[in-house]
Amino acid sequence: MIKNIPDRINSTTEQSPAAKYDDALLSELLEGAIDLHCHSGPSVMPRCIDHIEVMKEGAEAGLRAILIKDHYYSATPVTELLMRHFGELNVEMLSGVPLNNSTGGINRFAVDHGIKLGAKLVWMPTFSSKNHIDHHKSDKDFEKKFPTTKEKMLAPIELSVLDDNGNLIDEVKFILDMIAEADIVLSGGHLHITEIFPLFEEAKKRGVKKLLVNHPSYLIDATYEEMGELVKMGAFLEHSMCMFVPGSKFHFYTPENLDKLIKAGTVDRTILGSDLGQVGNPTPVEGFKNVIATCLDIGYSHDDIKKMVGGNAARLMGL
């Protein structure tokens, strides 16, 4: 079972996995990759790379698509501008709608607006989720394990998709219908695994076909067995490269952890996203190269790696 983050790994003394491989090989495996978890800026969070810079970095590395994630706003208007003015870079820029306090919480109007602008994904509450806030309150070292805003923000209102009786609230059901009609992706956000199961069960009943769980081993508190159950429901499991890359402030996990996570969710349902862009961390492309190298170390084939860094994300997003 994975319930708590292990002791922090000493990244300063660990060699970069990418340093052991010919860069031409890593670049070849990276070509066509899709990052569904890019934290570029501007943001109220401290970022080391902005939306234009990350698109240019992705183009230089041959990435096929990048999905910008911000916990506080939908970057869909930004990605529309990027595609209009930098389309020659041949990187498809995507975004979605985060259902946190700053977008009105679990709010059908934010979802409607996002869909009409071209959003490809809806995240259930992340920073504003009761589960995220409970983790923050219970872990004295939480701020060392998760980025914080540059300036103090208003205290969040805790959000859950379940009512006091454990039933999905009506607003969530309405939003699920909107997601199904638009045929876009539903992410469980930072909901606890005990919230994600009833959410996904109802989503499937209502015709939602694209299900995603971000970093199921972190915050979500899913066990390996539960990850297998999510896959049986048709979900894709995305693991955050920032948790495996030496030099990352959020380097919690070992290559052995990554191998177990991939096996729990299968190669065909595993997506590796960078979850990078924070100040003091490697850039998304650096993260990709290092995790590709780690996968080579573990023994995954070139075909399997290509699936996990691009092919599976393309299937999920319909690219």
Side-chain angles (χ1 to χ4, degrees), residues 21-255:
Y21 290 91
D22 183 353
D23 189 65
L25 171 61
L26 300 180
S27 296
E28 179 185 344
L29 292 173
L30 180 58
E31 189 170 353
I34 296 171
D35 188 1
L36 294 186
H37 206 138
C38 174
H39 283 304
S40 48
S43 177
V44 294
M45 314 294 287
R47 302 301 188 210
C48 69
I49 192 166
D50 67 32
H51 303 321
I52 296 174
E53 290 168 338
V54 85
M55 187 180 188
K56 290 180 177 178
E57 182 193 55
E60 187 174 344
L63 264 63
R64 181 176 178 182
I66 297 171
L67 191 145
I68 295 172
K69 179 179 182 181
D70 193 285
H71 296 282
Y72 293 90
Y73 70 96
S74 171
T76 306
V78 175
T79 57
E80 292 295 305
L81 279 172
L82 291 173
M83 293 302 295
R84 182 178 300 176
H85 294 283
F86 298 95
E88 71 278 2
L89 294 177
N90 293 319
V91 181
E92 188 158 356
M93 300 300 290
L94 311 167
S95 192
V97 183
L99 296 182
N100 289 314
N101 295 158
S102 56
T103 56
I106 299 172
N107 172 15
R108 67 181 69 183
F109 298 100
V111 175
D112 182 50
H113 176 255
I115 289 171
K116 299 304 190 296
L117 275 173
K120 302 299 183 187
L121 183 149
V122 172
W123 293 277
M124 285 293 140
T126 59
F127 273 27
S128 301
S129 71
K130 182 181 184 300
N131 179 55
H132 182 105
I133 295 165
D134 285 347
H135 274 76
H136 200 165
K137 289 177 180 176
S138 64
D139 188 346
K140 63 182 177 61
D141 293 323
F142 188 82
E143 291 190 2
K144 296 178 183 177
K145 301 172 182 175
F146 218 94
T148 54
T149 56
K150 291 179 280 190
E151 298 181 28
K152 187 175 177 60
M153 306 284 286
L154 292 171
I157 298 171
E158 297 180 358
L159 301 174
S160 173
V161 296
L162 304 179
D163 63 20
D164 292 340
N165 296 316
N167 299 314
L168 279 182
I169 62 176
D170 289 341
E171 188 72 356
V172 170
K173 295 176 183 178
F174 192 99
I175 289 169
L176 293 178
D177 288 340
M178 299 171 76
I179 292 170
E181 183 179 0
D183 194 27
I184 61 175
V185 177
L186 167 65
S187 163
H190 291 180
L191 300 178
H192 193 265
I193 185 62
T194 55
E195 298 173 275
I196 289 177
F197 276 128
L199 172 71
F200 280 8
E201 287 167 4
E202 186 67 25
K204 290 185 68 177
K205 289 178 186 176
R206 291 174 178 267
V208 176
K209 296 182 176 65
K210 301 173 180 178
L211 305 173
L212 175 66
V213 182
N214 304 109
H215 44 70
S217 60
Y218 182 63
L219 286 177
I220 312 307
D221 289 339
T223 64
Y224 293 124
E225 293 78 11
E226 288 166 335
M227 291 179 208
E229 292 175 34
L230 289 166
V231 165
K232 289 176 184 176
M233 295 180 77
F236 284 87
L237 309 183
E238 182 199 68
H239 303 295
S240 296
M241 293 180 180
C242 68
M243 300 180 189
F244 300 93
V245 179
S248 167
K249 293 184 291 186
F250 313 115
H251 181 199
F252 307 130
Y253 293 148
T254 65

